[in-house]
Amino acid sequence: EPEVTQTPSHQVTQMGQEVILRCVPISNHLYFYWYRQILGQKVEFLVSFYNNEISEKSEIFDDQFSVERPDGSNFTLKIRSTKLEDSAMYFCASSPRRTGGFGDYGYTFGSGTRLTVV
Amino acid sequence: SQQGEEDPQALSIQEGENATMNCSYKTSINNLQWYRQNSGRGLVHLILIRSNEREKHSGRLRVTLDTSKKSSSLLITASRAADTASYFCAYTGNQFYFGTGTSLTVIP
């Protein structure tokens, strides 16, 4: 079963530091996403990425955040200057197509990176 | 907010019983999906139901969709202790939204 791989599984960083969360989506998928889940809260959409550009982003995804697909396999989320409230589980997901259409495709999610900002 | 709501928020049942979780949403959808999340772990896709479908089965899972009421339900039959997890509905409106989740505990 193809998997979405996220590294690291847990990252601790000091407030104000930059962090890069890494994801390797499924190889033939075209759409990529980042979500986050603050402990005990809802899963929240951050950003979607297609054809090497952001297709949608939420109000959470401000100028501190950026995404990149640097080499055709990795998909990264960068937080420039972390804040305490950025502490959360960050999930990467990929899909072969937008699930807005028909087709029995869900998203495939990675197991997440737990980011702790101290 | 167009985020969905699920109820109950928490459900505790005995092994072998059926578990039913409900999801209500606010926007028109193309499809609705259910995901499972074990504590602190990633999200696992369980089942997808299209907006023109009313019911779908996958193993011990049964999903219904009522677009007139903007609601869906997930039924897990003959529950097992290993089914203990949080269950989320998710759907596409102009974005991809997750419900608030139901925490299911199956007591052996």
Side-chain angles (χ1 to χ4, degrees):
Chain A
E1 188 81 31
E3 290 184 340
V4 172
T5 305
Q6 287 187 245
T7 55
S9 57
H10 191 187
Q11 171 110 34
V12 181
T13 188
Q14 294 223 324
M15 192 169 56
Q17 294 294 305
E18 175 183 285
V19 293
I20 297 176
L21 309 182
R22 302 180 192 279
C23 170
V24 179
I26 293 174
S27 61
N28 63 348
H29 284 190
L30 301 176
Y31 293 85
F32 314 110
Y33 312 85
W34 284 101
Y35 287 78
R36 79 172 187 191
Q37 185 182 31
I38 295 170
L39 187 65
Q41 297 188 24
K42 303 173 184 179
V43 179
E44 299 173 296
F45 169 77
L46 293 178
V47 66
S48 62
F49 191 86
Y50 170 70
N51 200 26
N52 283 321
E53 60 183 24
I54 291 172
S55 49
E56 291 177 77
K57 61 181 181 179
S58 73
E59 60 275 8
I60 301 169
F61 194 88
D62 61 20
D63 292 343
Q64 292 296 314
F65 292 89
S66 62
V67 289
E68 197 176 33
R69 189 156 160 79
D71 56 12
S73 62
N74 290 287
F75 179 51
T76 61
L77 174 69
K78 182 192 291 186
I79 309 175
R80 285 191 187 80
S81 178
T82 51
K83 297 173 279 198
L84 295 176
E85 53 265 37
D86 293 328
S87 295
M89 183 78 96
Y90 288 81
F91 293 105
C92 172
S94 69
S95 67
R97 57 182 294 176
R98 283 196 63 171
T99 57
F102 290 108
D104 289 328
Y105 298 117
Y107 290 13
T108 302
F109 280 85
S111 56
T113 293
R114 183 172 297 283
L115 176 66
T116 303
V117 182
V118 296
Chain B
S1 168
Q2 295 188 51
Q3 210 137 10
E5 296 293 326
E6 292 178 62
D7 76 274
Q9 288 189 335
L11 179 61
S12 183
I13 59 174
Q14 294 288 332
E15 201 166 32
E17 293 180 339
N18 295 340
T20 300
M21 290 159 269
N22 302 296
C23 168
S24 61
Y25 56 91
K26 298 178 183 178
T27 184
S28 59
I29 63 170
N30 293 305
N31 60 58
L32 186 141
Q33 303 164 46
W34 285 88
Y35 287 82
R36 163 198 171 116
Q37 183 185 30
N38 288 69
S39 179
R41 303 290 299 276
L43 294 157
V44 176
H45 179 247
L46 296 176
I47 195 166
L48 180 151
I49 186 166
R50 303 173 191 175
S51 59
N52 63 347
E53 296 177 314
R54 293 296 166 258
E55 188 171 312
K56 200 162 184 179
H57 297 253
S58 177
R60 292 185 296 113
L61 305 180
R62 173 177 167 253
V63 170
T64 61
L65 180 64
D66 187 335
T67 52
S68 66
K69 295 181 180 177
K70 290 187 165 58
S71 68
S72 174
S73 68
L74 171 69
L75 168 68
I76 303 174
T77 59
S79 63
R80 306 167 183 167
D83 295 329
T84 295
S86 291
Y87 293 82
F88 295 87
C89 68
Y91 52 90
T92 48
N94 57 357
Q95 284 182 7
F96 189 59
Y97 297 96
F98 276 86
T100 52
T102 293
S103 176
L104 174 66
T105 302
V106 181
I107 302 166

